Structures are given as C-alpha cells and as structure tokens.
C-alpha cells in the first residue's frame, strides 16, 4: 500500500508574488479549492505534529547532554571481593575550593568514572555537587561511578567510623561508597600503643560493608607488616591498598606482598607529588617530571611526561589516580589506554637508581610513640 501523502501535498504551491521569477524565494501555499472541513483536519494534523515535537524535545535535549559524557572503555581490576575498580581515576587531593567541582565535571565528561576522595581534603561537598548533577539528570548512572572515600585519623574509634562514613556519603551525595579506606595507620594517640587499635577500626569498617554503606574496604599508607596483621584477624580482608608509587618510589616489595595476598594496589602521586614538598620536606629535592630518563621516554613516545608516568603505573600493575584541575591535563591524563611503553622504556623507568618516598608522613613521628621512626611507620627502612 502506498504511503499516505503529507498534508502539505494537498495544497497548490505558488511563487511569491513579490518575486515571481525567483526560484530561491519562499513558496506560498494556496488554499484555493479547500473547504473548511479539510482545513480543520489539516490544522489538527499540524497541531498534533507540533505537540509531538514539543514532547520529544526534553528527551532529545537529555540525549544531547548525555552525549557530552564520553563512554571510554577504561580497563578495570577485579578485587578479591568480586567488585571491580577502574584502572584510571581522578585524584582530588589539594584541589582548591571552587576548582574541584569543575574538575570532576570535566573528568566525567572526558570518560573518567573513578573519583578518589577523602574527608580531610575538605572538598567532598563540591565533588558531591558534580556527582549529584550527573546522577539527578541521568547523565551517568550510579552503577558506572566508582567513588572512594577515606576515614581520617581522628575518626578511628568504632562509633566514629560509621559517623564519618555517613558524613562522607551525605557530602558526596550518593547512597553508598564503592571503596572506603583507613587513610593512615595514625590516630593522634601518643604512647607505645596505637589507640584505638587498627583492629578496632578495621572491625568497624567491616560493619560498614555488612550494612551496605560501602562495597569494598581497604587501607592507605599502610606497610606490609600492618597489612599482615589485619589479614590475621579480618573477616573481610582488605581489597585495596592505596600507596605512593612512581619511578622514584617503585614500592616493589609492598606491591609484591599485596599481589601474593590478593590485595589490589592503587598508586597515588604517580607524577612524584611535585607540589607537596612544602608539606613533606625531602632529603633530596629531585623532581621526577624533570628526570632526564623520563623526558627522553616522553620524547621517544611522542607523549607528555605525565602521560608516560601514568602509563608506567598501569604497566606496573596498579590502578592510578592522577590529580589535576586543568581541563587539558585531565583529558590528557586519560589518553594512556591505547598505547604502551616499549619493554626498553618501561625497564628504563623501572630501574632509576634514585628512590625516595615523597609523601613520607614525617609529621606522624613522635619520640614517645607509637611511631618513633620511619621504619616503624612504614614497616621498612627509610630510603636514602
């Protein structure tokens, strides 16, 4: 059966009387020969078409907004509890007030879905604004997001762990956290014993999982001995250990321990934490991003130094959370997925002789304890 003709084909088309010879002017419809009933039917058809167009506009607008948020196939790691963590995320440490909201929007639009947060960063509310925007507008489903939070040192008491977690969930404006970490093995107590103990804090963390407030739990800035202690009593073992990892601090021994214990490692400060020297004084003020070997690899690959270091972290077997508030750098830091460092370049970066912990935690040392030396804090001798 032939398709019905559109309503406008019923009308005679005349040239514009003001420009009868022009072929480019607007044509005028003539209603000659059309009765009132026909005109009413056609007017109704026009009105119905207008209503359909108006009804379709919100979804078309929403689809256009969703299209601004790229779907990038970021690889992921499967954790021991079965959940997955995206291999590249956005770090939010040291993002100044007023900057992190825009940074998270930019990251989500670029294709990031892993956002690393902590209460002590004092910017969870801004992160939450960006998260709420994408969730409430249907731009990114919650199932695609991976949000990490951390309990700060003064909230290690069991009753405070839950309160701190709920406060972060409220600030981040999501119903649960994908990952929650003990930020440091530090509580502020002075004396030979850490109070509250890590065991007390960990058991409270396990309660968060059972309650459904968080999906996975882990630690940050913990050494192998402290992790081994947790594994000895944990009913829910740590899924993630987030620590400093980069070519100037490869952390190979801890990574090997975690691999053997089925604990995933997330690398923070993958660029060598150049902006934290004022917080953590260093014995030698060398800057990873200015290292001659790193620059040479960047030149050979045609990538920038930051991309080379992030790619190294991925090939080192860790997920990685570079931080930036620059839109160009945020987008560029994700451009590390469709290429690899050559074996020679990876080896060159993996054998740099200079090794130094940049985020060294020296401020937590106290001659009265519980940590009187770097070795006690990090479970290994201090690097030269």
């Amino acid at each position: 059966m032939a398709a019905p003709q559109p309503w406008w084909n019923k009308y005679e088309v005349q040239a514009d009387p003001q420009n009868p010879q022009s072929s480019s002017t607007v044509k005028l419809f003539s209603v000659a020969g059309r009765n009132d009933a026909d005109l009413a039917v056609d007017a109704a058809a026009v009105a119905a078409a207008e209503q359909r167009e108006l009804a379709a506009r919100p979804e078309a607008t929403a689809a256009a907004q969703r299209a601004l948020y790229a779907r990038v196939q970021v690889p992921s790691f499967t954790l021991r509890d079965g959940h997955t963590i995206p291999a590249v995320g956005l770090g939010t440490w040291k993002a100044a007030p007023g900057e992190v909201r825009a940074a998270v929007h930019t990251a989500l639009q670029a294709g990031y879905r892993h956002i690393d947060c902590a209460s002590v960063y004092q910017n969870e509310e801004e992160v939450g604004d960006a998260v709420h925007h994408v969730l409430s507008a249907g731009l990114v489903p919650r199932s695609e997001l991976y949000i990490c939070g951390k309990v700060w040192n003064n909230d290690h008491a069991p009753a405070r762990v839950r309160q701190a977690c709920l406060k972060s969930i409220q600030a981040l404006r999501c119903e649960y956290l994908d990952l929650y970490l003990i930020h440091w093995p530090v509580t502020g107590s002075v004396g030979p014993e850490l109070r509250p103990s890590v065991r007390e804090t960990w058991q409270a963390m396990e309660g968060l999982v059972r309650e459904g407030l968080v999906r996975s739990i882990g630690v940050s800035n913990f050494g192998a001995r402290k992790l081994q202690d947790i594994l000895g009593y944990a009913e829910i073992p740590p899924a993630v250990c987030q620590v400093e990892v980069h070519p100037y601090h490869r952390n190979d021994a801890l990574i090997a321990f975690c691999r053997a214990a089925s604990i995933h490692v997330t690398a923070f400060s993958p660029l060598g934490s150049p902006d934290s020297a004022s917080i953590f004084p260093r014995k030698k003020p060398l800057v990873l991003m200015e290292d001659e070997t790193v620059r040479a690899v960047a030149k050979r690959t045609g990538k920038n130094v930051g991309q080379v270091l992030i790619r190294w972290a991925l090939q080192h077997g860790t997920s990685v959370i570079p931080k930036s508030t620059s839109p160009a750098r945020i987008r560029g830091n994700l451009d590390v997925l469709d290429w690899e460092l050559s074996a020679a370049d990876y080896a060159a970066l993996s054998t740099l002789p200079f090794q130094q912990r940049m985020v060294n935690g020296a401020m937590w040392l106290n001659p009265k304890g519980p940590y009187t030396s770097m070795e006690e804090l990090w479970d290994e001798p201090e690097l030269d």
Side-chain angles (χ1 to χ4, degrees), residues 151-162:
V151 60
W152 187 239
N153 304 345
N154 59 356
D155 286 323
H156 280 213
R160 292 180 65 88
V161 169
R162 185 177 185 275

Side-chain angles (χ1 to χ4, degrees), residues 175-220:
E175 295 180 350
Y176 62 90
L177 298 178
D178 296 274
L179 178 64
Y180 201 51
L181 308 176
I182 301 177
H183 204 150
W184 286 86
V186 174
T187 65
S189 68
V190 176
E193 300 294 330
L194 184 71
R195 296 177 283 108
S197 67
V198 172
R199 181 170 188 162
E200 292 174 276
T201 306
W202 187 256
Q203 289 172 340
M205 297 280 283
E206 292 176 327
L208 302 177
V209 178
R210 297 188 183 101
E211 193 175 347
L213 296 175
V214 304
R215 293 192 166 179
S216 302
I217 50 177
V219 298
S220 175

Side-chain angles (χ1 to χ4, degrees), residues 91-306:
T92 59
W93 181 41
K94 289 178 67 67
E99 292 182 341
V100 72
R101 182 186 295 105
V104 173
H105 275 301
T106 298
L108 294 174
Q109 288 182 343
Y112 290 77
R113 295 297 181 263
H114 177 179
I115 309 297
D116 182 76
C117 311
S119 60
V120 75
Y121 301 165
Q122 299 183 20
N123 57 19
E124 285 183 324
E125 289 79 8
E126 283 193 43
V127 176
D129 287 346
V131 169
H132 177 70
H133 173 73
V134 299
L135 293 180
S136 62
L139 302 173
V140 178
R142 177 65 182 91
S143 60
E144 288 187 10
L145 294 180
Y146 192 91
I147 301 176
C148 172
K150 305 180 188 77
V151 60
W152 187 239
N153 304 345
N154 59 356
D155 286 323
H156 280 213
R160 292 180 65 88
V161 169
R162 185 177 185 275
Q163 294 172 358
C165 181
L166 288 172
K167 185 176 179 181
S168 287
I169 289 173
Q170 182 178 17
L172 293 166
R173 304 183 75 172
C174 53
E175 295 180 350
Y176 62 90
L177 298 178
D178 296 274
L179 178 64
Y180 201 51
L181 308 176
I182 301 177
H183 204 150
W184 286 86
V186 174
T187 65
S189 68
V190 176
E193 300 294 330
L194 184 71
R195 296 177 283 108
S197 67
V198 172
R199 181 170 188 162
E200 292 174 276
T201 306
W202 187 256
Q203 289 172 340
M205 297 280 283
E206 292 176 327
L208 302 177
V209 178
R210 297 188 183 101
E211 193 175 347
L213 296 175
V214 304
R215 293 192 166 179
S216 302
I217 50 177
V219 298
S220 175
N221 299 300
F222 272 55
R225 189 180 306 123
K226 294 178 182 63
L227 279 168
Q228 186 66 62
D229 288 344
I230 295 175
L231 291 171
Y233 53 73
E235 295 182 7
I236 302 175
V240 174
C241 178
Q242 186 183 117
V243 287
E244 178 183 353
V245 182
H246 50 74
Y248 271 3
H249 182 58
R250 292 186 294 273
N251 228 335
D252 288 328
L254 179 60
I255 291 174
F257 171 87
C258 288
R259 186 176 293 117
S262 299
I263 299 172
H264 174 72
V265 174
T266 295
F268 70 69
S269 296
L271 310 187
S273 197
D275 58 351
S276 66
S278 60
I279 304 174
F280 303 101
R282 293 147 192 183
K283 290 184 177 181
K284 298 179 182 179
L286 297 185
V287 178
L288 175 62
M289 297 181 73
E290 297 175 0
D291 184 272
E292 290 183 3
T293 300
V294 175
R295 289 181 174 237
V297 172
K299 185 175 181 180
R300 281 195 294 273
T301 58
K303 302 295 183 178
N304 64 45
V305 167

Side-chain angles (χ1 to χ4, degrees), residues 323-336:
K323 62 182 179 64
S324 180
T325 56
S326 161
R329 290 198 188 106
I330 289 171
R331 289 188 287 266
N333 287 346
L334 195 59
D335 184 19
V336 294

